[in-house]
Structure formats: C-alpha cells, structure tokens
Amino acid sequence: MAEDQIIAIFTIMIQIHHKYSLKDLNSFGLDARAASFARPGNLEALREVLALPDYHHMPLLVLGAGSNILFRDDFEGLVLQPGMKGIEIVEESGNELVIKVGASENWDSWVAHATERAWYGLENLSLIPGSVGSAPVQNIGAYGMELQECFEWLDAWDLQEKKLVRLKHETCDFGYRSSIFKGKARGRYIITHVAFRLNRVPDLKLDYGNVQSEFKKAKGSTPMDLRKVVIGIRSSKLPDPELHGNAGSFFKNPLVDRTIFSCIRVEYPDVPYYPSDGNQMKIPAAWLIEKSGWKGKRIGNVGTWPSQALVIVNYGGANGHEIYDFSEKIMEDVEGIFGITLEREVNVI
Ligand code: EPU
C-alpha cells in the first residue's frame, strides 16, 4: 500500500476536529468549545490519537455522555470521547454472568438490554443519564443501589504506563458518588469497557423511599416492573435533560457529625436523613437547599427544579458562569443557615 493511502486511512480513523462545539455533548447544553476533539471507536484509534505529537503537552479531558459536567469556559486542550461499543457475555457459571460493555454504550439502553434478557441486578439504576464508561467514575447510585454492587472489573488505557490495564473492584476504591477515578487516579485512565456481574435470578430491591408502595400500586412482580416503577418515579421528579438542561444532582448529600445533626433536629424535628457509618449522618442536600429558600428559585435563566431542589436547570441560554455563580449562592446560604458546606457532585471545568 502506498504511503499516501496509509495516511488517508489514518486520518479517517482518527477524525480530529478543531474548535469543536460541545453544545450537544453536555446535558446543560452549554456552548463550550474544545480546541481539539476526537471520538476513537477502538483501542487502536485511541492509541493513535494519543501518539500524535501535538497532543503530548495539551490538557486532556475524557468526556462520557456529558451528563455530569459543567463547562464554565472553552476547553483549551484535547477532548476525547471514547466510542467503544458492544455488549458481550464473557463468563457464565450457574445463574451468574459477567458481561463486558463498551464505554460509549448509553447507560439506560444497557440497563434495558440486560433487563429484557433476564440479566438482573441493574433495575434500580434505570434511566440514569450518561454512558457506561462514566458510571464507575462517580459510582452512580439511585433508589437504594450503587453501581459497585454489580461491578466486576473495567478495562482502561493507563496514560501513565501507556498500556491497557484491567482494574478489579478492590482497586477502584468505590465510595458514595466517588472512586479512585475521582481521587488519586484522576486523569490517569481512559475507561474503554466495563464488566458487570449479573444474575438470572431476580433479587428485587424495594426498600428506598416510595419504591415499595409504587411497586405495589403498579401490582409489580418482576424486575421489568421494578424498572418501570423506577422510571416512573424519576420522570415525575427529575427534569428531562432533553427539555431542560441539567446534570442531575448538582451537589452530594453531605455527611454531618451527629452533634450537628442533633442541633438541626432540635429546630427541625422532621429533618430527613440516611443512616451512615461512624459518627456521621447523611442529610439530603435537597432538603437543606429547600429549607434555605432555594427550591424552585430562579435567577435569569438558571433555577432549581421545582420538584427536586438538588437539580439546577439551565432554562435556556444560560452560560456556565451563571450556573456556577447560582450554585455558589446556594452554598453560601446553606453554609450560613446550617453551617454545612455542600460539595458539588458535577465536574466543573
Ligand atoms: N427533599 C427535599 N426537597 C426536595 C427534594 C427532596 O426536602 O426538593 C428531601 C425529601 O425528604 C426526600 C429526600 O430529600 O425524601 C430524598 O430525596 P430523593 O429521594 O429525591 O433523593 P436525593 O437524596 O435528593 C439521591 C441521589 C439521586 C437519586 C436519588 C434517588 C445524590 C446526590 N442524589 O437524591 O441521584 O436519583 O437519591 O435514589 O445522592 C444524581 O446523582 O444525579 C441523582 C439524581
């Protein structure tokens, strides 16, 4: 093959875009631009992009489906969106299966695919926006379950060692909305595939909030019924990012010392809480925000969602700074009223 032909194939495989708009690639709908952008669909393409000398000293941002990110400005570097697809059973024993899924598969389509095939365990995590590759980064969780409960391992490109590695559960250091990928290994790995351990025997988790009562009301009995109930609850409370730009929960639920919790309880006997390990209690940030007077409040084109105060919405045309400043004001008030510092859950760029 002539050299010019090889260069042509090389170029087609990589497709690097410059000054690329990320508007359709972040769920806030912010019109930030990436100096360079590429979506490698396989490991070879990924390696080729990373090997290009232009990108050796540029800041790198790995973007999933952009559903947990706030761009305040353009990104003056290379944005890489892994494009690996595919769903493959890699292990089966008894009722258990291990299934390897490409990082760019849509999270909820994967949950639907698994539930339809009677591969159970993911039902409570239905309708969470985002991609499969991003799910372990923040250990996504909802309705009494976290990703780590069915996580087996993941494959990732190690930018430090320049090789593909397989990271098992124990290496990932999962916690509440956290993992090694948000902590000490931040920026080190590009996740290409995630493997899940699922089961052919249903094990319905109905304990969270009104899941049980909604399940009964719907006369539910199967995991698919549970998936539908979770979708119903989510849809009734949370804004659809297609209609109202948002990134789900903007803050984490804070852990507070029991002494502080007791003081709050004196004034607010109905304060909700989640049991937690040690000497701490987890209070819903949504409640703190609501009690600070921010539920449904709007400044210009930014506001909190009227039925879930933890979600900040771009009602159209807001920029990243406006959203960030809005969140700062909420934090100041919660700090002033309760003495509790909220931590952002979204990744601020
Ligand atoms: N609450 C309020 N005001 C509100 C909303 C809620 O006071 O406007 C109080 C209520 O007492 C309610 C409690 O907060 O019972 C908990 O609310 P919810 O069940 O909606 O859960 P959350 O703690 O606010 C977490 C996750 C959500 C997840 C839900 C359901 C975090 C940061 N958020 O929210 O995750 O869907 O539980 O499991 O942990 C996300 O991460 O993007 C996300 C949406």
Side-chain angles (χ1 to χ4, degrees):
M1 199 183 284
E3 199 179 331
D4 57 340
Q5 283 175 294
I6 294 171
I7 289 167
I9 291 169
F10 188 73
T11 313
I12 288 164
M13 259 181 86
I14 296 174
Q15 280 191 13
I16 293 181
H17 306 266
H18 299 285
K19 292 205 180 345
Y20 191 74
S21 171
L22 303 170
K23 193 169 191 313
D24 296 333
L25 299 183
N26 72 99
S27 60
F28 270 120
L30 299 168
D31 196 10
R33 275 168 196 271
S36 300
F37 173 85
R39 187 185 290 118
N42 53 45
L43 193 59
E44 290 66 42
L46 174 64
R47 290 171 70 160
E48 281 173 14
V49 183
L50 294 171
L52 290 173
D54 282 1
Y55 299 118
H56 280 175
H57 303 290
M58 261 198 177
L60 173 69
L61 173 69
V62 181
L63 187 66
S67 54
N68 202 43
I69 200 161
L70 175 67
F71 287 104
R72 280 185 295 180
D73 293 299
D74 291 344
F75 187 74
E76 300 301 339
L78 170 66
V79 173
L80 271 183
Q81 188 177 48
M84 294 79 186
K85 292 262 178 209
I87 297 175
E88 183 194 346
I89 297 177
V90 290
E91 210 183 298
E92 255 187 292
S93 114
N95 288 317
E96 292 194 354
L97 322 94
V98 176
I99 301 135
K100 176 182 169 186
V101 186
S104 79
E105 294 287 350
N106 171 271
W107 175 264
D108 190 55
S109 305
W110 152 236
V111 176
H113 182 98
T115 315
E116 279 158 16
R117 279 158 187 76
W119 306 339
Y120 298 133
L122 298 169
E123 306 79 45
N124 296 52
L125 302 180
S126 291
L127 207 64
I128 294 184
S131 63
V132 166
S134 312
V137 176
Q138 56 153 340
N139 182 25
I140 57 169
Y143 303 102
M145 191 198 163
E146 288 184 345
L147 166 122
Q148 63 155 323
E149 290 165 48
C150 50
F151 174 91
E152 188 69 5
W153 46 257
L154 59 77
D155 285 342
W157 181 257
D158 182 344
L159 290 156
Q160 203 170 299
E161 299 292 328
K162 297 192 175 37
K163 62 177 188 189
L164 190 71
V165 290
R166 179 158 293 182
L167 304 179
K168 296 205 174 122
H169 195 293
E170 57 272 25
T171 317
C172 296
D173 197 18
F174 290 119
Y176 166 61
R177 293 298 196 278
S178 75
S179 71
I180 193 173
F181 311 106
K182 281 181 115 177
K184 69 175 187 217
R186 182 185 278 269
R188 176 166 173 181
Y189 298 104
I190 300 175
I191 297 168
T192 63
H193 294 87
V194 183
F196 300 87
R197 181 172 291 274
L198 301 180
N199 205 301
R200 294 192 193 276
V201 180
D203 178 17
L204 305 180
K205 294 189 179 70
L206 305 172
D207 291 342
Y208 186 96
N210 60 343
V211 173
Q212 178 105 41
S213 58
E214 291 297 312
F215 193 70
K216 268 195 188 145
K217 215 192 281 172
K219 297 191 172 36
S221 63
T222 66
M224 187 53 92
D225 296 335
L226 175 54
R227 172 171 158 76
K228 286 181 188 154
V229 162
V230 168
I231 288 175
I233 297 174
R234 279 193 84 92
S235 313
S236 70
K237 283 193 182 171
L238 300 169
D240 178 351
E242 296 288 327
L243 306 174
H244 302 284
N246 76 86
S249 300
F250 197 93
F251 302 100
K252 289 186 180 185
N253 288 329
L255 280 170
V256 300
D257 284 345
R258 271 172 204 266
T259 41
I260 297 178
F261 177 76
S262 305
C263 295
I264 295 175
R265 209 174 191 181
V266 170
E267 204 173 331
Y268 303 93
D270 61 341
V271 54
Y273 60 92
Y274 304 107
S276 191
D277 301 338
N279 201 28
Q280 294 185 307
M281 305 293 264
K282 200 191 273 177
I283 303 184
W287 183 86
L288 295 166
I289 295 168
E290 181 172 341
K291 292 293 170 199
S292 305
W294 281 93
K295 185 162 178 168
K297 204 164 167 176
R298 197 168 155 167
I299 300 178
N301 291 323
V302 186
T304 51
W305 189 241
S307 51
Q308 174 41 295
L310 192 49
V311 180
I312 297 182
V313 174
N314 176 3
Y315 281 103
N319 64 40
H321 285 281
E322 289 170 288
I323 295 172
Y324 186 82
D325 293 348
F326 185 88
S327 71
E328 281 280 308
K329 290 193 175 76
I330 293 178
M331 289 173 79
E332 279 164 23
D333 281 359
V334 169
E335 178 92 51
I337 294 167
F338 294 100
I340 294 173
T341 310
L342 291 181
E343 192 189 331
R344 290 184 183 83
E345 204 224 311
V346 296
N347 189 8
V348 178
I349 301 296

